[in-house]
Amino acid sequence: MCTGAGASWESVKTRGHAPSARRCASATVVGLDTLLVYGGECVKERRPLGDAHALDLRTMTWRVVSHSDEGDGSIDSRDVPTPRSEHVACAFGDDGVLVFGGAGASHRCLGDVWLITVSSGMWRDLTGVIRGPPPDPRAGHAGVVIMDRYWCIVGGGNGRSGVDDSPCAVLDLDTMEWCSGSGGENKKGDDEKRTPALPSPAVVGEGMSLCAVET
């Protein structure tokens, strides 16, 4: 944890069942006091993970939100996403986290969208529910929410080359519709806010990061 004007770092002691050591997981702040850690890759065995853990930022206590699907019958029959790493995630409302893409077993790139409800640990596959042409499967991409409405997906790899040359993608979180990467068209009348244009950067790839800057 980094605190204070001097930006000093300190180790934080936590309680509860903490997630195992991993790389390429997502960490998303939900509501005011919860941090959800999902997926990633096992450091020792180099296999994708599918478990989710929530850290209460007030008490610094971990709890298991969703177990990993290892295909051994250890979980119930409810739908869960394929274990993955190098995906992106964003908060959805006060109790949800959306997950898109990533790399599954054998480094296969994924293009599905899932929603987990943090309080219940229930997953829902939204891949076929979201309208509009979906972005290509990818891993190692970056995502950020702007204007509290648009989830912008940039870069990533496609499993065949190191660079994803497909256009950037924008998910309208209000209408749950994939928008064109070039955006800007108003299909619902002049009185409604237009989808922001999001042209692809000159150079894209894996391992990028994004942040929202108000202009």
Side-chain angles (χ1 to χ4, degrees), residues 110-192:
L110 306 168
D112 48 354
V113 180
W114 287 80
L115 170 66
I116 184 172
T117 302
V118 178
S119 59
S120 66
M122 297 296 295
W123 286 96
R124 182 186 177 194
D125 186 356
L126 299 182
T127 308
V129 177
I130 299 174
R131 297 176 297 170
D136 295 333
R138 63 189 72 186
H141 42 299
V144 66
V145 176
I146 63 173
M147 300 164 62
D148 295 323
R149 176 172 177 177
Y150 300 103
W151 191 19
C152 303
I153 309 295
V154 179
N158 57 21
R160 297 182 299 275
S161 64
V163 174
D164 180 5
D165 58 2
S166 59
C168 301
V170 179
L171 177 61
D172 188 327
L173 299 175
D174 281 0
T175 64
M176 296 308 286
E177 180 177 8
W178 287 111
C179 309
S180 168
S182 58
E185 295 184 359
N186 186 1
K187 301 178 181 179
K188 300 179 180 180
D190 294 336
D191 58 341
E192 186 166 338

